[in-house]
Amino acid sequence: MAHTVIDSHFELDSSWVTVMCRATRFHITVSYKDIQRSRFATEYSEMVAKIMEDDYEEDHDELCEWIVDQCLTYFQESTVNVPKEITFEEFYHPPTHHLKLLVSGSSLYPKATRDRGTMDAFHLMIPSGDLPPFSEVPRSKASDLRIISDTKWDDYMSEIPQKAIISDGTSKFFKPADDKKQLLREVDMHLRIRDAGLQDKIRVAHLHSIVVSNDAKMTIGLLFDLIPSTGDSLYSHKESASALEYHARWKQQITAIVEQLHSHNLVWGDVHPGNIVIDTSFDAWVVDFGGGSIVEFVPRKVAGTKDGDWQGVRKIFNEWILGKEKSRINGIAVFGEIPIKDKNMELLAAYLQSHPRFGSFLVDAMGLGKTFILSIHASTSWPGMWTIEEGTNRMVDTGGFVGTWQYHRWETGV
Ligand SMILES: Nc1ncnc2c1ncn2[C@@H]1O[C@H](COP(=O)(O)OP(=O)(O)O)[C@@H](O)[C@H]1O
Ligand SMILES: [Mg+2]
C-alpha cells in the first residue's frame, strides 16, 4: 500500500505518525504503556532513543516504518470505496481514522481509538491571515479544483497531487504551501516578474492563483500554468543520449532568462537541475522562486545573490550535466559480481521499487573497483510496484510499459 507520512512526533511515552493513503488520513499512536510487557517495548524504546541522540532522518524513517507497517492491511480494508475523483477540499479535509497500536500474542496490531487531539488537522496549510492580502492574485477555492487519479494504479491519492483540474477543464500545476517563507518569496517574485513586464518574455510559468479552503481561512497552495513536459526536470534529461545535443541550447536559454531576471534585480535563488523544466519542444524553463538552495550547486555564502545564480548555472552546465561530479546512492546492496545487463534483475527491481521517483542514479559496484552508471528514462513518474522484464530493458507495471532502463557508462580500474 503506497502511503505518505505527512507528520510525526516521537517521545518515549507516546509517539504518533499521520499518514495519507488513498485520500484517507490515518493518525496512529503508539504508547509505551500499551506495549510494555512485550518484545516490542524494547524495539520501540531503542528506536526512540536513537532519534533522541542523533536526530538522523533515517532513524525517523525507521520508526515511522515500524509503526506504519503494522497498519497496511487496515489501510487497505478501510479504503476500498474511495472515489477515483475528488476535490482538493476533500483531499485536504479527508476522512480520518485514529488508531493505536496494541499487542496481541506475538504481533502488533492497530485498533480504532478516539481522537486524542494530538493530530494537527491543518498541517500543510497556512492560515490566510498570516499572509499579506496579495490582492493582485486571484483565489481558487479548493472545492472547485478536481484531482483525477490514474485509475490504473491501485494505490492512488496518497501523495499531494501535482495537478489540479480547474472549472474550465484545463490542468494547472499545484504547488503545496508547505513553507510560509517560500510561499511569500514565490508569490512576491511572480508579481515582480509581471510588474517588470517579463511575464511573456521569459519561460517562467504564469502564476494562476492562490488556492484557499472553502471558507478562505486556510491557504493550501499555488496554481501555475502547466509547463507541457514529459519528464519532470533536467534531472530526467541528464543521461539521455538525445539530451547531449541540447546542452548548449539549454545553457543559452537559461542564461538568457537569468540575465533578464537580473536586469530587473530579480534573483532566481534555488538554482539546481530540479528547478529547470524541459518542455515537450525541448525548451528550458525556470521554476521555483521559493528561495533556499542546495550547497552542491550554490555555495551557502552566495545563496540568494546574482553571483549565486551564476555559480549555480555554471555548476549545472559546465560540470554536472557532463557527469564530472559523482554522486552516490547509499544503501545499494553489494553486488555479488559486476552487474551485467540482464543479471541481478531481482536486486535491481527491488531497489527500484523502493525509489519510485528519480531520473538517474549512480550505482557503485562496491569493493570491485569498478563503477558504472545506470540511468532510468521513464515516460511517466509512477508509484508502487513495477518490474523490469526479464531479458529486456523494458520496465512494466500492472498497466503496461512505462519506460526503458539502460546502462550508460562503464568505468574500470577506478
Ligand atoms: N508550472 C509547472 N509545470 C509543470 N511542472 C512543474 C511546474 N512547476 C514545477 N514543476 C515541476 O515540479 C517540481 C517541483 O516544483 P518546484 O516549484 O521546484 O517546487 P519545490 O519547492 O517542491 O522544489 C519541479 O522540479 C518541476 O519538475
Ligand atoms: Mg524545486
Side-chain angles (χ1 to χ4, degrees), residues 162 173 175-176 178 182 186 205-206 224-229 231-233 270 272-277 287-290:
Q162 287 200 313
F173 180 79
K175 179 159 177 166
D178 44 15
Q182 283 185 24
E186 186 100 49
H206 174 69
F224 294 92
D225 287 349
L226 195 64
I227 302 167
S229 73
D232 299 21
S233 67
D270 192 8
H272 67 79
N275 288 335
I276 295 176
V277 174
V287 300
D288 200 346
F289 292 95

PDB file of all heavy atoms in Angstrom, residues 162 173 175-176 178 182 186 205-206 224-229 231-233 270 272-277 287-290, ligand 1:
ATOM      1  N   GLN A 162       0.041  16.866  -7.921  1.00  0.00           N
ATOM      2  CA  GLN A 162       0.788  17.957  -8.552  1.00  0.00           C
ATOM      3  C   GLN A 162      -0.044  18.662  -9.606  1.00  0.00           C
ATOM      4  O   GLN A 162       0.391  19.654 -10.173  1.00  0.00           O
ATOM      5  CB  GLN A 162       2.053  17.407  -9.200  1.00  0.00           C
ATOM      6  CG  GLN A 162       3.104  17.015  -8.180  1.00  0.00           C
ATOM      7  CD  GLN A 162       4.468  16.941  -8.819  1.00  0.00           C
ATOM      8  OE1 GLN A 162       4.619  16.353  -9.886  1.00  0.00           O
ATOM      9  NE2 GLN A 162       5.454  17.531  -8.184  1.00  0.00           N
ATOM     10  N   PHE A 173      -0.597  23.363 -12.632  1.00  0.00           N
ATOM     11  CA  PHE A 173       0.378  22.768 -11.727  1.00  0.00           C
ATOM     12  C   PHE A 173       0.082  23.248 -10.306  1.00  0.00           C
ATOM     13  O   PHE A 173      -0.098  24.448 -10.086  1.00  0.00           O
ATOM     14  CB  PHE A 173       1.802  23.183 -12.138  1.00  0.00           C
ATOM     15  CG  PHE A 173       2.858  22.608 -11.248  1.00  0.00           C
ATOM     16  CD1 PHE A 173       3.268  21.291 -11.400  1.00  0.00           C
ATOM     17  CD2 PHE A 173       3.428  23.377 -10.241  1.00  0.00           C
ATOM     18  CE1 PHE A 173       4.242  20.743 -10.563  1.00  0.00           C
ATOM     19  CE2 PHE A 173       4.398  22.842  -9.396  1.00  0.00           C
ATOM     20  CZ  PHE A 173       4.802  21.523  -9.567  1.00  0.00           C
ATOM     21  N   LYS A 175       1.299  23.669  -6.450  1.00  0.00           N
ATOM     22  CA  LYS A 175       2.453  23.668  -5.552  1.00  0.00           C
ATOM     23  C   LYS A 175       1.947  23.875  -4.132  1.00  0.00           C
ATOM     24  O   LYS A 175       1.384  24.921  -3.813  1.00  0.00           O
ATOM     25  CB  LYS A 175       3.426  24.781  -5.962  1.00  0.00           C
ATOM     26  CG  LYS A 175       4.645  24.858  -5.070  1.00  0.00           C
ATOM     27  CD  LYS A 175       5.792  25.568  -5.747  1.00  0.00           C
ATOM     28  CE  LYS A 175       6.964  25.685  -4.777  1.00  0.00           C
ATOM     29  NZ  LYS A 175       8.199  26.067  -5.426  1.00  0.00           N
ATOM     30  N   PRO A 176       2.126  22.887  -3.249  1.00  0.00           N
ATOM     31  CA  PRO A 176       1.577  22.998  -1.896  1.00  0.00           C
ATOM     32  C   PRO A 176       2.248  24.095  -1.069  1.00  0.00           C
ATOM     33  O   PRO A 176       3.428  24.391  -1.263  1.00  0.00           O
ATOM     34  CB  PRO A 176       1.861  21.620  -1.279  1.00  0.00           C
ATOM     35  CG  PRO A 176       2.843  20.945  -2.156  1.00  0.00           C
ATOM     36  CD  PRO A 176       2.824  21.625  -3.497  1.00  0.00           C
ATOM     37  N   ASP A 178       3.783  24.429   1.788  1.00  0.00           N
ATOM     38  CA  ASP A 178       4.318  23.765   2.977  1.00  0.00           C
ATOM     39  C   ASP A 178       5.252  24.660   3.778  1.00  0.00           C
ATOM     40  O   ASP A 178       5.639  24.323   4.876  1.00  0.00           O
ATOM     41  CB  ASP A 178       4.962  22.399   2.639  1.00  0.00           C
ATOM     42  CG  ASP A 178       5.821  22.457   1.398  1.00  0.00           C
ATOM     43  OD1 ASP A 178       6.154  23.587   0.977  1.00  0.00           O
ATOM     44  OD2 ASP A 178       6.152  21.399   0.858  1.00  0.00           O
ATOM     45  N   GLN A 182       8.773  30.414   1.912  1.00  0.00           N
ATOM     46  CA  GLN A 182       8.917  30.089   0.492  1.00  0.00           C
ATOM     47  C   GLN A 182       7.736  30.595  -0.325  1.00  0.00           C
ATOM     48  O   GLN A 182       7.902  31.114  -1.419  1.00  0.00           O
ATOM     49  CB  GLN A 182       9.030  28.577   0.309  1.00  0.00           C
ATOM     50  CG  GLN A 182      10.402  28.054   0.657  1.00  0.00           C
ATOM     51  CD  GLN A 182      10.532  26.562   0.364  1.00  0.00           C
ATOM     52  OE1 GLN A 182       9.819  26.019  -0.466  1.00  0.00           O
ATOM     53  NE2 GLN A 182      11.424  25.910   1.073  1.00  0.00           N
ATOM     54  N   GLU A 186       7.905  33.217  -3.367  1.00  0.00           N
ATOM     55  CA  GLU A 186       7.403  32.766  -4.662  1.00  0.00           C
ATOM     56  C   GLU A 186       6.364  33.752  -5.236  1.00  0.00           C
ATOM     57  O   GLU A 186       6.482  34.201  -6.372  1.00  0.00           O
ATOM     58  CB  GLU A 186       6.767  31.380  -4.476  1.00  0.00           C
ATOM     59  CG  GLU A 186       6.323  30.718  -5.754  1.00  0.00           C
ATOM     60  CD  GLU A 186       7.316  29.674  -6.256  1.00  0.00           C
ATOM     61  OE1 GLU A 186       7.731  28.818  -5.447  1.00  0.00           O
ATOM     62  OE2 GLU A 186       7.677  29.720  -7.430  1.00  0.00           O
ATOM     63  N   ALA A 205       6.644  29.918 -15.693  1.00  0.00           N
ATOM     64  CA  ALA A 205       5.205  29.634 -15.705  1.00  0.00           C
ATOM     65  C   ALA A 205       4.427  30.747 -15.009  1.00  0.00           C
ATOM     66  O   ALA A 205       4.826  31.235 -13.954  1.00  0.00           O
ATOM     67  CB  ALA A 205       4.934  28.289 -15.045  1.00  0.00           C
ATOM     68  N   HIS A 206       3.314  31.100 -15.601  1.00  0.00           N
ATOM     69  CA  HIS A 206       2.458  32.157 -15.081  1.00  0.00           C
ATOM     70  C   HIS A 206       1.777  31.705 -13.774  1.00  0.00           C
ATOM     71  O   HIS A 206       1.246  30.597 -13.706  1.00  0.00           O
ATOM     72  CB  HIS A 206       1.418  32.446 -16.172  1.00  0.00           C
ATOM     73  CG  HIS A 206       0.364  33.394 -15.780  1.00  0.00           C
ATOM     74  ND1 HIS A 206       0.606  34.718 -15.558  1.00  0.00           N
ATOM     75  CD2 HIS A 206      -0.963  33.210 -15.573  1.00  0.00           C
ATOM     76  CE1 HIS A 206      -0.521  35.316 -15.230  1.00  0.00           C
ATOM     77  NE2 HIS A 206      -1.491  34.426 -15.228  1.00  0.00           N
ATOM     78  N   PHE A 224      -0.079  27.174 -10.937  1.00  0.00           N
ATOM     79  CA  PHE A 224       0.675  27.754 -12.046  1.00  0.00           C
ATOM     80  C   PHE A 224       0.193  27.143 -13.346  1.00  0.00           C
ATOM     81  O   PHE A 224      -0.280  25.998 -13.353  1.00  0.00           O
ATOM     82  CB  PHE A 224       2.167  27.413 -11.906  1.00  0.00           C
ATOM     83  CG  PHE A 224       2.823  28.042 -10.723  1.00  0.00           C
ATOM     84  CD1 PHE A 224       2.902  27.376  -9.509  1.00  0.00           C
ATOM     85  CD2 PHE A 224       3.372  29.316 -10.824  1.00  0.00           C
ATOM     86  CE1 PHE A 224       3.505  27.961  -8.410  1.00  0.00           C
ATOM     87  CE2 PHE A 224       3.982  29.900  -9.724  1.00  0.00           C
ATOM     88  CZ  PHE A 224       4.049  29.233  -8.517  1.00  0.00           C
ATOM     89  N   ASP A 225       0.348  27.877 -14.442  1.00  0.00           N
ATOM     90  CA  ASP A 225       0.091  27.252 -15.738  1.00  0.00           C
ATOM     91  C   ASP A 225       1.036  26.064 -15.858  1.00  0.00           C
ATOM     92  O   ASP A 225       2.192  26.128 -15.408  1.00  0.00           O
ATOM     93  CB  ASP A 225       0.334  28.248 -16.878  1.00  0.00           C
ATOM     94  CG  ASP A 225      -0.781  29.284 -16.943  1.00  0.00           C
ATOM     95  OD1 ASP A 225      -1.808  29.076 -16.254  1.00  0.00           O
ATOM     96  OD2 ASP A 225      -0.615  30.291 -17.657  1.00  0.00           O
ATOM     97  N   LEU A 226       0.520  25.024 -16.456  1.00  0.00           N
ATOM     98  CA  LEU A 226       1.290  23.795 -16.563  1.00  0.00           C
ATOM     99  C   LEU A 226       2.287  23.896 -17.713  1.00  0.00           C
ATOM    100  O   LEU A 226       1.918  24.245 -18.829  1.00  0.00           O
ATOM    101  CB  LEU A 226       0.305  22.649 -16.818  1.00  0.00           C
ATOM    102  CG  LEU A 226       0.792  21.231 -16.633  1.00  0.00           C
ATOM    103  CD1 LEU A 226       1.174  20.971 -15.179  1.00  0.00           C
ATOM    104  CD2 LEU A 226      -0.304  20.265 -17.061  1.00  0.00           C
ATOM    105  N   ILE A 227       3.527  23.596 -17.409  1.00  0.00           N
ATOM    106  CA  ILE A 227       4.525  23.542 -18.481  1.00  0.00           C
ATOM    107  C   ILE A 227       4.336  22.188 -19.169  1.00  0.00           C
ATOM    108  O   ILE A 227       4.362  21.157 -18.501  1.00  0.00           O
ATOM    109  CB  ILE A 227       5.967  23.637 -17.919  1.00  0.00           C
ATOM    110  CG1 ILE A 227       6.142  24.930 -17.128  1.00  0.00           C
ATOM    111  CG2 ILE A 227       6.989  23.521 -19.040  1.00  0.00           C
ATOM    112  CD1 ILE A 227       7.416  24.970 -16.287  1.00  0.00           C
ATOM    113  N   PRO A 228       4.115  22.176 -20.477  1.00  0.00           N
ATOM    114  CA  PRO A 228       3.929  20.883 -21.133  1.00  0.00           C
ATOM    115  C   PRO A 228       5.239  20.109 -21.191  1.00  0.00           C
ATOM    116  O   PRO A 228       6.116  20.413 -21.987  1.00  0.00           O
ATOM    117  CB  PRO A 228       3.465  21.265 -22.551  1.00  0.00           C
ATOM    118  CG  PRO A 228       3.944  22.659 -22.763  1.00  0.00           C
ATOM    119  CD  PRO A 228       4.104  23.301 -21.422  1.00  0.00           C
ATOM    120  N   SER A 229       5.398  19.167 -20.284  1.00  0.00           N
ATOM    121  CA  SER A 229       6.662  18.425 -20.266  1.00  0.00           C
ATOM    122  C   SER A 229       6.398  16.962 -19.946  1.00  0.00           C
ATOM    123  O   SER A 229       5.419  16.640 -19.298  1.00  0.00           O
ATOM    124  CB  SER A 229       7.621  19.023 -19.241  1.00  0.00           C
ATOM    125  OG  SER A 229       7.193  18.717 -17.948  1.00  0.00           O
ATOM    126  N   GLY A 231       9.176  14.587 -18.916  1.00  0.00           N
ATOM    127  CA  GLY A 231       9.998  14.301 -17.730  1.00  0.00           C
ATOM    128  C   GLY A 231       9.748  15.417 -16.753  1.00  0.00           C
ATOM    129  O   GLY A 231       9.074  16.385 -17.075  1.00  0.00           O
ATOM    130  N   ASP A 232      10.255  15.307 -15.545  1.00  0.00           N
ATOM    131  CA  ASP A 232       9.997  16.374 -14.603  1.00  0.00           C
ATOM    132  C   ASP A 232      10.944  17.541 -14.806  1.00  0.00           C
ATOM    133  O   ASP A 232      10.532  18.661 -15.025  1.00  0.00           O
ATOM    134  CB  ASP A 232      10.114  15.882 -13.164  1.00  0.00           C
ATOM    135  CG  ASP A 232       9.110  14.790 -12.882  1.00  0.00           C
ATOM    136  OD1 ASP A 232       8.644  14.177 -13.856  1.00  0.00           O
ATOM    137  OD2 ASP A 232       8.784  14.552 -11.739  1.00  0.00           O
ATOM    138  N   SER A 233      12.220  17.270 -14.754  1.00  0.00           N
ATOM    139  CA  SER A 233      13.173  18.376 -14.741  1.00  0.00           C
ATOM    140  C   SER A 233      14.435  17.945 -15.485  1.00  0.00           C
ATOM    141  O   SER A 233      14.492  16.872 -16.062  1.00  0.00           O
ATOM    142  CB  SER A 233      13.523  18.725 -13.296  1.00  0.00           C
ATOM    143  OG  SER A 233      14.240  17.647 -12.726  1.00  0.00           O
ATOM    144  N   ASP A 270      17.254  29.433  -5.917  1.00  0.00           N
ATOM    145  CA  ASP A 270      17.499  27.997  -5.728  1.00  0.00           C
ATOM    146  C   ASP A 270      17.856  27.328  -7.055  1.00  0.00           C
ATOM    147  O   ASP A 270      17.086  26.542  -7.605  1.00  0.00           O
ATOM    148  CB  ASP A 270      16.231  27.372  -5.114  1.00  0.00           C
ATOM    149  CG  ASP A 270      16.448  25.961  -4.613  1.00  0.00           C
ATOM    150  OD1 ASP A 270      17.620  25.513  -4.589  1.00  0.00           O
ATOM    151  OD2 ASP A 270      15.462  25.296  -4.248  1.00  0.00           O
ATOM    152  N   HIS A 272      19.242  24.790  -9.365  1.00  0.00           N
ATOM    153  CA  HIS A 272      19.721  23.402  -9.476  1.00  0.00           C
ATOM    154  C   HIS A 272      18.907  22.706 -10.568  1.00  0.00           C
ATOM    155  O   HIS A 272      17.886  23.231 -11.018  1.00  0.00           O
ATOM    156  CB  HIS A 272      19.685  22.672  -8.125  1.00  0.00           C
ATOM    157  CG  HIS A 272      18.322  22.418  -7.570  1.00  0.00           C
ATOM    158  ND1 HIS A 272      17.512  21.394  -8.015  1.00  0.00           N
ATOM    159  CD2 HIS A 272      17.612  23.053  -6.612  1.00  0.00           C
ATOM    160  CE1 HIS A 272      16.378  21.408  -7.353  1.00  0.00           C
ATOM    161  NE2 HIS A 272      16.403  22.414  -6.488  1.00  0.00           N
ATOM    162  N   PRO A 273      19.363  21.527 -11.011  1.00  0.00           N
ATOM    163  CA  PRO A 273      18.721  20.884 -12.176  1.00  0.00           C
ATOM    164  C   PRO A 273      17.238  20.594 -11.963  1.00  0.00           C
ATOM    165  O   PRO A 273      16.476  20.590 -12.924  1.00  0.00           O
ATOM    166  CB  PRO A 273      19.501  19.572 -12.338  1.00  0.00           C
ATOM    167  CG  PRO A 273      20.792  19.791 -11.627  1.00  0.00           C
ATOM    168  CD  PRO A 273      20.526  20.757 -10.533  1.00  0.00           C
ATOM    169  N   GLY A 274      16.827  20.379 -10.708  1.00  0.00           N
ATOM    170  CA  GLY A 274      15.425  20.089 -10.433  1.00  0.00           C
ATOM    171  C   GLY A 274      14.530  21.297 -10.666  1.00  0.00           C
ATOM    172  O   GLY A 274      13.312  21.169 -10.745  1.00  0.00           O
ATOM    173  N   ASN A 275      15.127  22.471 -10.756  1.00  0.00           N
ATOM    174  CA  ASN A 275      14.337  23.679 -10.972  1.00  0.00           C
ATOM    175  C   ASN A 275      14.447  24.200 -12.401  1.00  0.00           C
ATOM    176  O   ASN A 275      14.153  25.364 -12.689  1.00  0.00           O
ATOM    177  CB  ASN A 275      14.718  24.747  -9.944  1.00  0.00           C
ATOM    178  CG  ASN A 275      14.200  24.372  -8.559  1.00  0.00           C
ATOM    179  OD1 ASN A 275      13.222  23.633  -8.442  1.00  0.00           O
ATOM    180  ND2 ASN A 275      14.857  24.861  -7.524  1.00  0.00           N
ATOM    181  N   ILE A 276      14.888  23.315 -13.282  1.00  0.00           N
ATOM    182  CA  ILE A 276      14.861  23.607 -14.718  1.00  0.00           C
ATOM    183  C   ILE A 276      13.960  22.550 -15.345  1.00  0.00           C
ATOM    184  O   ILE A 276      14.192  21.350 -15.173  1.00  0.00           O
ATOM    185  CB  ILE A 276      16.278  23.531 -15.335  1.00  0.00           C
ATOM    186  CG1 ILE A 276      17.155  24.632 -14.738  1.00  0.00           C
ATOM    187  CG2 ILE A 276      16.202  23.619 -16.864  1.00  0.00           C
ATOM    188  CD1 ILE A 276      18.600  24.595 -15.185  1.00  0.00           C
ATOM    189  N   VAL A 277      12.896  22.993 -15.989  1.00  0.00           N
ATOM    190  CA  VAL A 277      11.977  22.031 -16.607  1.00  0.00           C
ATOM    191  C   VAL A 277      12.163  22.083 -18.126  1.00  0.00           C
ATOM    192  O   VAL A 277      12.220  23.165 -18.711  1.00  0.00           O
ATOM    193  CB  VAL A 277      10.506  22.341 -16.228  1.00  0.00           C
ATOM    194  CG1 VAL A 277       9.545  21.432 -16.991  1.00  0.00           C
ATOM    195  CG2 VAL A 277      10.301  22.169 -14.723  1.00  0.00           C
ATOM    196  N   VAL A 287      11.878  27.292 -12.934  1.00  0.00           N
ATOM    197  CA  VAL A 287      10.803  27.212 -11.943  1.00  0.00           C
ATOM    198  C   VAL A 287      11.368  27.390 -10.529  1.00  0.00           C
ATOM    199  O   VAL A 287      12.583  27.347 -10.337  1.00  0.00           O
ATOM    200  CB  VAL A 287      10.034  25.848 -11.988  1.00  0.00           C
ATOM    201  CG1 VAL A 287       9.401  25.618 -13.346  1.00  0.00           C
ATOM    202  CG2 VAL A 287      10.926  24.677 -11.589  1.00  0.00           C
ATOM    203  N   ASP A 288      10.480  27.588  -9.592  1.00  0.00           N
ATOM    204  CA  ASP A 288      10.807  27.596  -8.163  1.00  0.00           C
ATOM    205  C   ASP A 288      11.527  28.862  -7.698  1.00  0.00           C
ATOM    206  O   ASP A 288      12.755  28.933  -7.682  1.00  0.00           O
ATOM    207  CB  ASP A 288      11.628  26.346  -7.796  1.00  0.00           C
ATOM    208  CG  ASP A 288      11.575  26.062  -6.303  1.00  0.00           C
ATOM    209  OD1 ASP A 288      11.149  26.952  -5.551  1.00  0.00           O
ATOM    210  OD2 ASP A 288      11.960  24.953  -5.898  1.00  0.00           O
ATOM    211  N   PHE A 289      10.738  29.839  -7.297  1.00  0.00           N
ATOM    212  CA  PHE A 289      11.299  31.067  -6.736  1.00  0.00           C
ATOM    213  C   PHE A 289      11.138  31.087  -5.221  1.00  0.00           C
ATOM    214  O   PHE A 289      11.080  32.135  -4.603  1.00  0.00           O
ATOM    215  CB  PHE A 289      10.646  32.283  -7.390  1.00  0.00           C
ATOM    216  CG  PHE A 289      11.025  32.431  -8.829  1.00  0.00           C
ATOM    217  CD1 PHE A 289      10.216  31.914  -9.836  1.00  0.00           C
ATOM    218  CD2 PHE A 289      12.214  33.053  -9.190  1.00  0.00           C
ATOM    219  CE1 PHE A 289      10.573  32.026 -11.172  1.00  0.00           C
ATOM    220  CE2 PHE A 289      12.584  33.173 -10.522  1.00  0.00           C
ATOM    221  CZ  PHE A 289      11.766  32.651 -11.520  1.00  0.00           C
ATOM    222  N   GLY A 290      11.050  29.899  -4.643  1.00  0.00           N
ATOM    223  CA  GLY A 290      10.838  29.803  -3.201  1.00  0.00           C
ATOM    224  C   GLY A 290      12.078  30.135  -2.365  1.00  0.00           C
ATOM    225  O   GLY A 290      12.005  30.223  -1.148  1.00  0.00           O
TER     226      GLY A 290
HETATM  227  N1  LIG B   1       4.476  25.038 -13.906  1.00  0.00           N
HETATM  228  C1  LIG B   1       4.930  23.779 -13.882  1.00  0.00           C
HETATM  229  N2  LIG B   1       4.504  22.874 -14.795  1.00  0.00           N
HETATM  230  C2  LIG B   1       4.966  21.601 -14.777  1.00  0.00           C
HETATM  231  N3  LIG B   1       5.838  21.123 -13.885  1.00  0.00           N
HETATM  232  C3  LIG B   1       6.305  21.963 -12.940  1.00  0.00           C
HETATM  233  C4  LIG B   1       5.873  23.331 -12.890  1.00  0.00           C
HETATM  234  N4  LIG B   1       6.497  23.930 -11.852  1.00  0.00           N
HETATM  235  C5  LIG B   1       7.260  22.984 -11.281  1.00  0.00           C
HETATM  236  N5  LIG B   1       7.168  21.803 -11.927  1.00  0.00           N
HETATM  237  C6  LIG B   1       7.821  20.527 -11.564  1.00  0.00           C
HETATM  238  O1  LIG B   1       7.564  20.262 -10.198  1.00  0.00           O
HETATM  239  C7  LIG B   1       8.759  20.187  -9.462  1.00  0.00           C
HETATM  240  C8  LIG B   1       8.592  20.861  -8.100  1.00  0.00           C
HETATM  241  O2  LIG B   1       8.271  22.226  -8.269  1.00  0.00           O
HETATM  242  P1  LIG B   1       9.101  23.354  -7.524  1.00  0.00           P
HETATM  243  O3  LIG B   1       8.486  24.665  -7.864  1.00  0.00           O
HETATM  244  O4  LIG B   1      10.543  23.185  -7.829  1.00  0.00           O
HETATM  245  O5  LIG B   1       8.774  23.013  -6.023  1.00  0.00           O
HETATM  246  P2  LIG B   1       9.699  22.592  -4.784  1.00  0.00           P
HETATM  247  O6  LIG B   1       9.789  23.803  -3.925  1.00  0.00           O
HETATM  248  O7  LIG B   1       8.924  21.482  -4.187  1.00  0.00           O
HETATM  249  O8  LIG B   1      11.043  22.176  -5.306  1.00  0.00           O
HETATM  250  C9  LIG B   1       9.826  20.829 -10.339  1.00  0.00           C
HETATM  251  O9  LIG B   1      11.057  20.226 -10.123  1.00  0.00           O
HETATM  252  C10 LIG B   1       9.317  20.586 -11.721  1.00  0.00           C
HETATM  253  O10 LIG B   1       9.769  19.316 -12.173  1.00  0.00           O
END
